Amino acid sequence: MAIATPKTRRGETSRAAILGAALDLFQERGYEATTMRAIADRAGVSLGSSYHYFPSKEHLVLEFYRHTHELHLAAIAPLLGREKDLAVRLRGTIRAVVVTCEPFHAVAGSIFSTVANPASPLNPFGGAAKPLRDEVVALYDEVVRGSDARIASDISEMLPLTLWLYQMAILYFWIFDRSPGRLRTLEVIDETTDLIVKLLGLANLPVLRGSRKRLLGLIKSVVAST
Amino acid sequence: MAIATPKTRRGETSRAAILGAALDLFQERGYEATTMRAIADRAGVSLGSSYHYFPSKEHLVLEFYRHTHELHLAAIAPLLGREKDLAVRLRGTIRAVVVTCEPFHAVAGSIFSTVANPASPLNPFGGAAKPLRDEVVALYDEVVRGSDARIASDISEMLPLTLWLYQMAILYFWIFDRSPGRLRTLEVIDETTDLIVKLLGLANLPVLRGSRKRLLGLIKSVVAST
DNA sequence: CGTTTAATTTGAACATGTTCAAGTCAGAGC
DNA sequence: GCTCTGACTTGAACATGTTCAAATTAAACG
């Protein structure tokens, strides 16, 4: 149960070996097909040792997430540094998500469901995964802020979190996508990012003022409860 | 693995006992805390017998769903028979969902995650759960069709399925809702149903024509892949 | 009623996530 | 270098979902 941080060099080695073995095996065989015994075996430690550093198999997935998040950040850094158009930034960012996750496509389904479980410590709506979620939301904040789009403050306040939700939805679609090269997901991304930016532009129309205000208030109140 | 239909009177008794025990225990203790051994015990059969009628523990949940769906249908029948206003019909229907599910609130989390798993036979996007999903979509079709709202055919074509998705989202919010009497969920329902109906009215605005067409095309293409 | 066939039931056996008490080891303090 | 403390490791044990071959029972048939 206790989340032990390694205090000695030997401990660090063990923890790293366990994590490395887990990441490899999740990728090779998927989450469910990877047994804790297999992880311990490959890491060269005993079964019990894994539980000294990771309270559960699910917690190993959290590290898996962090890993892909790092890859994602590295993949889009050049784009975010150079491009100013919001649609292009957003499209590139979301495309990079699915491209980065592509090697884990077969695994993603079981992982997603683990994460969707509100009882799981990995649930992104407040749990052990919150720090990582905040990082992703911060990324979308940068996607928006770094663009030359002028967005009203009431919208831009809620936009990063909404885009994070949007990313989750795309990932869920991607999980089901069996098309070659996952082309359908890429099409949906192109279409939706474009649509989102268009709608952001339309949000200033007087007729939509009322609905916009209510929608934002709704999102804010929903988020407040997490 | 084989889904056996009872062929004898004794078989029917056993199947009913197992299902009844499972529904009771899921409600009493939740999904995960209910063991197959406990179900078999309460049903008065052996462990192996349960697997003769239900291929897995998850399949028992499917019956649980069907059960709540029947309750829901019964609860809203009077409203749908009398009321013509779309906003009222929709609000009443969704309210009835959460009210019907209220006794299972503590259980709902673990069940939801089981269902969200794309690898699960219970996943509503095409699997053993598809017939039930179709029934729910048909219900929303009736909610819309039975109202006096005039909705363009391109929208009404996709609306029932979209409302089903909306119901899923509300349920996910409800799962997290810790407010007394689940009042927050009811507030969100009131606000969202109202907003949905308003937006349906705005969809005819010329400025929104383009986005509307694209959005509907998108939904249709996404749904086509299930 | 006796026989035969198929449905039903059984419980042992297996795989796997998790726990835990006991053992082993590294390093700090002297 | 010795000792002691706490970090680390271990593997047996447990709980539980699932499988399966064998046993038992119901029903159909003559």
Side-chain angles (χ1 to χ4, degrees), chain B residues 43-149:
Chain B
V45 302
S46 77
L47 177 60
S49 247
S50 308
Y51 284 92
H52 187 69
Y53 297 105
F54 303 94
S56 77
K57 193 180 171 185
E58 291 187 341
H59 280 78
L60 281 164
V61 177
L62 188 55
E63 298 298 322
F64 187 79
Y65 267 130
R66 187 167 296 283
H67 178 65
T68 62
H69 177 60
E70 311 285 346
L71 293 179
H72 182 221
L73 280 185
I76 59 174
L79 173 81
L80 294 187
R82 123 175 66 88
E83 180 65 47
K84 292 295 169 201
D85 184 76
L86 178 57
V88 179
R89 288 169 72 89
L90 184 55
R91 193 198 316 144
T93 303
I94 301 277
R95 276 182 177 174
V97 170
V98 299
V99 171
T100 303
C101 292
E102 186 56 36
F104 324 124
H105 185 262
V107 197
S110 55
I111 290 183
F112 192 98
S113 84
T114 306
V115 168
N117 188 342
S120 165
L122 270 70
N123 188 283
F125 298 98
K130 188 169 185 313
L132 184 52
R133 177 191 98 173
D134 289 345
E135 279 182 49
V136 180
V137 172
L139 164 63
Y140 284 103
D141 193 54
E142 196 201 325
V143 169
V144 175
R145 261 183 225 286
S147 82
D148 55 14

Side-chain angles (χ1 to χ4, degrees), chain A residues 21-33:
Chain A
L23 295 191
D24 286 354
L25 286 170
F26 284 160
Q27 226 168 125
E28 278 175 34
R29 311 181 188 174
Y31 175 71
E32 272 143 10

Side-chain angles (χ1 to χ4, degrees), chain A residues 7-8 10 14 46 48-49 53:
Chain A
K7 301 282 200 290
T8 86
R10 191 185 174 205
S14 291
S46 77
S49 247
Y53 297 104

